[in-house]
Amino acid sequence: DIGTPRSILMSRKLGQAHADALLPQLSPRMPTISSAIDLHSMPPLVLDSDETNLCHASTLTADEGAFASTSFDDEVVSRRLELEIRKMMIRTHDDEEGMSEGPLELQRIGEALSRCMAMRTKYMKISLQRESDNPRNHAQWQMYPAPPPPAWRNFDQPVEEATQDFDLTQCAIPGDDGCSFAMGDDGVYAVSDEHGATFTSAPSIREFFMDLDHILDTISDGPIKTWAYRRLRYLDARWQLYVLLNEREETAQSKMVPHRDLYNVRKVDGHVHLASAMNQKHLLRFIKYKLKNEPDRPVIVRDGKTLTLRQVFESLNLTAYDLSIDTLDMHAHNGAYHRFDKFNLKYNPIGESRLREIFMKTDNFIDGEFFAQITKQVISDLEQSKYQMAEYRISIYGRSADEWDKLAAWVVDHKILSPNVRWLIQVPRLYNVYKAGGQVENFEQVLANLFRPLFEVTKDPSSHPKLHVFLQRVVGFDSVDDESKPERRMHKKYPLPRVWNTPNNPPYTYYTYFTLANMCTLNQWRVRRGFNTFVFRPHAGEAGDTEHLAAAFLAAQAINHGILLRK
């Protein structure tokens, strides 16, 4: 490792020595486990000959010339810290009040954790959520309009601006592939080829909940919790050691990198709700501009009467002069923390849902035109900065089958397309609300409204051309709602979606399974057709039961929040 700091080399060797001594105890593949490995015989830190000479030179006595050079301080410190860590590990192992697992207990811990990881790998593989599974990450992937050329070429030679206006007629829209699909009695779609042979598969609900029970048993096991806690403490201590030894040197190296700092490295804004993509000042300016330039435009229907923008504000006893940041009251203060109800109210300008419908909805009287205009202004700022990307979240509710087409038409018709922006679909867990409002009869209808349009456009993209173009820019799905709501298990065995017709909302794990299962078959079909796949990134661990985190561990590529992981 030419040019690698000696302190980094020593940190690596310390970690390798620890791994060589402890990891064999956790391996379930050991042929014999007749005796425990003694930590006292942990292999010493082996240095190269030149490093050994440096360490000898750095520990000379005062009579021999003290330190040969102050540059050897790191080696002295790291050597002493290594000895202290060894002593700490030996004391921890020999502590009578602490964990004193023998080799069989360590083997059991290792086997349990290995099985958990194997379960997650199984679900990631069958759902095709790995990066290598997505055709979009392959070299032959093409999308219209093409992304801009690499920015580094601008430093060598001038490059023409790749500003290409979007034209739907220029998009390549494939046709029908002859396959067929149908939802089974289990609430999961299956796809068959032209000969009637089913080529998709998904884990059964019984298999998922059995694996979930194993995860819950594992995380509640006392010895495993103790071992995991101490392992985390060790890793944290090792990281702090690395920071102490290398912080100054890494800071100096980062300063030597030309043309790179916080403002010109590429950043991706994740977990950004589209309705909150703009700041309050931007939204305030936009509302005032529309109120000044388009006051007589019809914008909403209330009680059978069409109201103009001026009439809406007159009904609120407000003028453009009265509007301010404080009047909007859309800042999420500390009072909204762990208060999902207050958090949602912050999306209403001036606390009025009608203003949210006018300015921050895609499906309204004006077809989301105001929302599209302010969104394009935000995206324009991203493109001008060149180094900022965003993954905006927008909702599909599952109340009706035409939601996907309406959202895709909003994006494509208003040309809200940019190489700096990708989309993540939020699915609120609100079956009980739809059931109470008479919008759905059972949970199977929610699943059909969510997934049937996606299977239709995968079968024949020409049947939903705008949806096909939009899905090329969709990353995956999110599951959102207030996690702190209590989930009382009403059934010993969960009923199938077509039988779930009660007003009670299904639990988090029920939503998670049917999202995962239908995404498995959908992704398998899309890979077969060469289309991009989707991932599952739910809100998990913000509040509520740790069962949410366990279900997300199996089904999700990644999660949002995860605050409860500290527990």
Side-chain angles (χ1 to χ4, degrees), residues 28-74:
R29 300 185 179 89
M30 291 185 63
T32 58
I33 311 184
S34 56
S35 61
I37 297 178
D38 188 4
L39 283 175
H40 296 273
S41 61
M42 182 175 172
L45 182 67
V46 181
L47 300 177
D48 298 335
S49 57
D50 53 346
E51 293 172 337
T52 305
N53 295 334
L54 287 173
C55 289
H56 287 321
S58 62
T59 55
L60 294 175
T61 63
D63 296 337
E64 295 171 334
F67 294 102
S69 172
T70 57
S71 62
F72 301 139
D73 288 347
D74 283 352

Side-chain angles (χ1 to χ4, degrees), residues 5-280:
R6 289 188 298 275
S7 54
I8 296 180
L9 292 173
M10 299 185 70
S11 178
R12 290 176 182 173
K13 292 184 177 182
L14 175 59
Q16 185 61 44
H18 175 73
D20 292 342
L22 292 186
L23 291 184
Q25 301 182 54
L26 302 180
S27 175
R29 300 185 179 89
M30 291 185 63
T32 58
I33 311 184
S34 56
S35 61
I37 297 178
D38 188 4
L39 283 175
H40 296 273
S41 61
M42 182 175 172
L45 182 67
V46 181
L47 300 177
D48 298 335
S49 57
D50 53 346
E51 293 172 337
T52 305
N53 295 334
L54 287 173
C55 289
H56 287 321
S58 62
T59 55
L60 294 175
T61 63
D63 296 337
E64 295 171 334
F67 294 102
S69 172
T70 57
S71 62
F72 301 139
D73 288 347
D74 283 352
E75 283 73 6
V76 176
V77 172
S78 60
R79 193 66 171 176
R80 291 175 180 173
L81 286 175
E82 176 206 351
L83 295 176
E84 290 298 326
I85 290 176
R86 290 178 186 275
K87 293 178 182 178
M88 178 186 67
M89 292 167 59
I90 293 173
R91 287 195 301 269
T92 301
H93 186 269
D94 294 339
D95 189 358
E96 294 180 356
E97 298 179 358
M99 181 179 63
S100 58
E101 292 88 347
L104 295 179
E105 182 69 14
L106 288 173
Q107 182 187 22
R108 186 187 69 83
I109 294 175
E111 289 175 346
L113 297 177
S114 297
R115 184 180 174 189
C116 292
M117 293 303 300
M119 288 178 181
R120 172 172 170 80
T121 301
K122 175 184 68 174
Y123 286 102
M124 292 299 101
K125 183 177 180 180
I126 193 173
S127 61
L128 301 177
Q129 294 190 66
R130 299 172 300 181
E131 294 294 333
S132 58
D133 296 327
N134 196 339
R136 179 166 46 196
N137 297 326
H138 299 167
Q140 63 271 23
W141 172 261
Q142 294 183 354
M143 185 171 63
Y144 171 84
W152 59 267
R153 293 189 178 182
N154 294 335
F155 297 102
D156 300 331
Q157 57 185 4
V159 179
E160 296 182 1
E161 290 292 334
T163 55
Q164 189 176 8
D165 193 18
F166 177 80
D167 183 3
L168 182 60
T169 60
Q170 300 298 319
C171 296
I173 307 295
D176 195 333
D177 69 340
C179 295
S180 59
F181 66 93
M183 178 181 284
D185 294 337
D186 57 355
V188 180
Y189 279 96
V191 186
S192 304
D193 58 21
E194 54 272 13
H195 304 294
T198 302
F199 59 86
T200 58
S201 62
S204 65
I205 188 171
R206 181 176 181 273
E207 178 184 2
F208 178 80
F209 277 96
M210 287 181 63
D211 291 343
L212 179 61
D213 287 341
H214 175 79
I215 298 293
L216 294 174
D217 291 341
T218 300
I219 64 177
S220 61
D221 184 89
I224 293 179
K225 290 169 66 175
T226 303
W227 182 89
Y229 173 71
R230 294 187 174 182
R231 173 69 177 168
L232 290 174
R233 287 184 60 190
Y234 160 72
L235 293 175
D236 181 67
R238 185 178 171 189
W239 166 248
Q240 296 301 331
L241 170 63
Y242 177 85
V243 172
L244 287 173
L245 297 178
N246 301 284
E247 181 180 14
R248 288 180 299 174
E249 188 162 357
E250 287 199 6
T251 301
Q253 291 179 1
S254 64
K255 291 180 179 179
M256 297 172 60
V257 179
H259 190 68
R260 281 292 177 265
D261 55 29
L262 176 64
Y263 296 97
N264 55 14
V265 295
R266 280 165 178 80
K267 302 169 287 292
V268 179
D269 291 334
H271 201 172
V272 179
H273 303 261
L274 184 61
S276 61
M278 71 296 296
N279 56 47
Q280 292 185 79

Side-chain angles (χ1 to χ4, degrees), residues 295-462:
D296 299 321
R297 178 171 182 177
V299 292
I300 197 172
V301 176
R302 278 291 184 269
D303 300 326
K305 182 180 178 181
T306 304
L307 302 179
T308 64
L309 191 60
R310 187 200 307 274
Q311 291 172 329
V312 170
F313 276 86
E314 287 176 352
S315 66
L316 299 174
N317 295 321
L318 288 174
T319 64
Y321 181 78
D322 298 326
L323 294 177
S324 66
I325 294 293
D326 295 331
T327 309
L328 285 182
D329 190 25
M330 299 182 69
H331 184 73
H333 296 280
N334 293 334
Y337 185 68
H338 278 184
R339 286 294 303 274
F340 199 76
D341 53 344
K342 289 186 176 182
F343 177 78
N344 279 339
L345 291 177
K346 291 298 181 179
Y347 283 95
N348 296 328
I350 323 177
E352 293 291 334
S353 60
R354 70 185 76 177
L355 293 184
R356 179 179 182 179
E357 181 179 346
I358 294 171
F359 290 99
M360 306 171 69
K361 289 290 186 179
T362 63
D363 183 19
N364 53 22
F365 183 79
I366 56 177
D367 295 327
E369 182 177 342
F370 285 174
F371 195 27
Q373 290 175 359
I374 192 171
T375 300
K376 292 179 71 174
Q377 292 175 8
V378 173
I379 293 177
S380 177
D381 293 339
L382 294 179
E383 293 176 343
Q384 290 178 8
S385 68
K386 189 174 69 172
Y387 297 104
Q388 284 184 277
M389 287 73 177
E391 185 182 80
Y392 290 137
R393 292 156 188 268
I394 197 164
S395 296
I396 290 289
Y397 297 92
R399 293 174 296 194
S400 61
D402 60 351
E403 291 181 26
W404 280 103
D405 287 325
K406 289 181 178 179
L407 178 59
W410 179 77
V411 171
V412 174
D413 292 344
H414 293 287
K415 299 182 179 180
I416 312 177
L417 305 168
S418 171
N420 294 57
V421 173
R422 292 294 179 266
W423 305 92
L424 197 73
I425 303 301
Q426 286 191 333
V427 182
R429 299 188 296 275
L430 298 176
Y431 159 79
N432 56 330
V433 177
Y434 311 150
K435 175 66 176 178
Q439 296 171 304
V440 297
E441 293 296 329
N442 51 46
F443 188 71
E444 185 183 67
Q445 292 184 9
V446 176
L447 294 175
N449 293 335
L450 287 175
F451 287 101
R452 184 174 182 83
L454 301 182
F455 281 89
E456 289 177 351
V457 73
T458 303
K459 170 181 170 61
D460 184 9
S462 60

